[in-house]
Amino acid sequence: MTVSIRVIPCLDVDEGRVVKGVNFLDLRDAGDPVELAARYNREGADELIFLDITASSSDRSTMYDVVRRTAESVFIPLTVGGGVRAVDDFDRLLRAGADKVSLNTSAIADPDLLSDAAERFGAQCVVLSVDARRCPEGITTDSGFEVTTHGGRRSTGIDAVAWCIEGTRRGAGEILLNSMDADGTKHGYDLALIEMVRREVTVPLIASGGAGSIEDFVPAVVAGADAVLAASVFHFGQLRIDEVKRALAEAEFPVR
Amino acid sequence: MNAPTVHILDYGSGNLRSAHRALERVGAQVTVSADYDAGMAADGLLVPGVGAYAACMEGIRQVRGERLVDRRLAGGRPVMGICVGMQVLFDRGDEHGIETEGLGEWPGVVEQLQAPVLPHMGWNTVSVAHDSVLFDGVLGERFYFVHSYAVRTWDFVVTDPRRTAPQVTWSHHGEDFVAAVENGPLVATQFHPEKSGDAGLHLLENWVRSLA
């Protein structure tokens, strides 16, 4: 008996519609989130992640409605992130039907939000989402990776690995590790980044960014990921969830 | 025949929508509130629970959940606990050195799992108890777990020959732990059946059917 490697489609949601673009700059419509969620559930997705990418600037009620409708028809775990700024946002999302809530920029601005949410709702529903990249010129960190915000466009100078450690110390129960270098390239996950974070944290680790072909998933798990996330390869039918699972099973990793 | 009624005890613990809809999906008529009388009246009572043991116990006490569970069980009326809702049925929880008294329906202590990665988060297999009713038709399936604490030993000895011993289902993450218990009217799962896809719905359907 071993817990299986989770395969997670991520749905970027903009005003109630799923979008996914290369490096977040060129958005393309890939459908209704509730329908897509149901489809992924049927295809064997182990979990779903909704990322509200317009949350910072527009009304979030559309997202609550998407979460509510999804939770009414799909009975697998649902993580929701994007624009969550206060413990009350957490509460509303959980009540709408989310099981976990991911924090990204708001946790950088206010790290206490991680501790407060973990204390009130439990570490198991607090996901720290980290948009990491190799340090560009002029920025130095111990790990060589820094945390970015605004979809990778803005530098923070914070050491990405140290931030993962700090985040889990504050109560995050899971890390969603996005490589901004790999995101949208379809050249595979950033294995060095995964390995570095895996060495330092004991919470589950979701690898994200770069999945482009069926060969990309096993190396991420070998590097230490407990779950693998992908978006566009699933949305545009390039890969199916069961194909990814078969590849993992052939490498003798447990899958559902 | 009327659909069995299930009351979900709402004491402020997380996402209740999934359990609500999952139970409806498998044929139950569901109510959700902190109301004691509604909890007494339903055919089945569901005790959910996520987060810290101490916080859940405090929430349960505030809505007189302790008495509700006791009264129902005294009358042989079904109760189901899920996740921390299962853990509180044991003697006590020990989280970060904080000991919290539970409902004490079963002997045992809820302690941190010894495993390299915690929380135990994801789909795991279970070793189903012989003669299980809850898992009827759902053998060999994986269920969704999310927890760091669990009951690691089970030493409930039934001395009264008229009573049957509880059926205990186990799982493993770093070490063996109790994944489900079936004990007459009182059943519980450490995993989340309402989040375990078709396998979870099937298990809930087995429970709802037993209420009829």
Side-chain angles (χ1 to χ4, degrees), chain A residues 1-4 46-47 68 72-73 75-77 94-100 124 173-174 202-204 255-256, chain B residues 15 17-18 21-22 25 50-51 116-119 121-125 142 144 146 170-172 194-197 201:
Chain A
M1 285 179 278
T2 317
V3 66
S4 63
D46 295 310
E47 203 166 309
R68 204 170 290 123
E72 286 180 357
S73 58
F75 299 104
I76 57 174
L94 295 177
R95 286 189 174 273
D99 299 284
K100 298 184 263 185
Q124 84 292 330
E174 188 172 39
T202 58
V203 300
V255 291
R256 177 166 73 110
Chain B
N15 168 18
R17 185 175 298 270
S18 300
R21 296 302 305 217
R25 176 72 76 91
V50 296
V117 174
L118 284 180
M121 193 182 279
W123 300 75
N124 209 335
T125 52
R142 287 179 181 269
Y144 187 78
V146 51
W170 295 82
S171 188
H172 185 92
E194 80 282 17
K195 284 290 166 183
S196 297
L201 290 176

Side-chain angles (χ1 to χ4, degrees), chain B residues 104-173:
Chain B
E105 302 295 344
W106 296 318
V109 185
V110 180
E111 298 165 293
Q112 189 168 348
L113 278 171
Q114 302 300 307
V117 174
L118 284 180
H120 171 221
M121 193 182 279
W123 300 75
N124 209 335
T125 52
V126 293
S127 170
V128 175
H130 188 61
D131 290 340
S132 165
V133 174
L134 212 49
F135 291 88
D136 187 25
V138 267
L139 299 174
E141 297 283 349
R142 287 179 181 269
F143 295 91
Y144 187 78
F145 291 85
V146 51
H147 61 118
S148 296
Y149 299 83
V151 175
R152 302 148 70 208
T153 54
W154 175 269
D155 33 41
F156 188 174
V157 181
V158 176
T159 47
D160 184 342
R162 291 166 301 182
R163 294 185 63 185
T164 50
Q167 288 129 329
V168 182
T169 290
W170 295 82
S171 188
H172 185 92
H173 180 66

Side-chain angles (χ1 to χ4, degrees), chain A residues 143-174:
Chain A
S143 70
F145 289 92
E146 71 151 342
V147 179
T148 66
T149 60
H150 300 80
R153 292 192 304 276
R154 215 172 279 182
S155 177
T156 66
I158 298 169
D159 187 318
V161 177
W163 176 230
C164 290
I165 297 168
E166 162 85 3
T168 55
R169 193 185 59 75
R170 283 179 172 274
E174 188 172 39

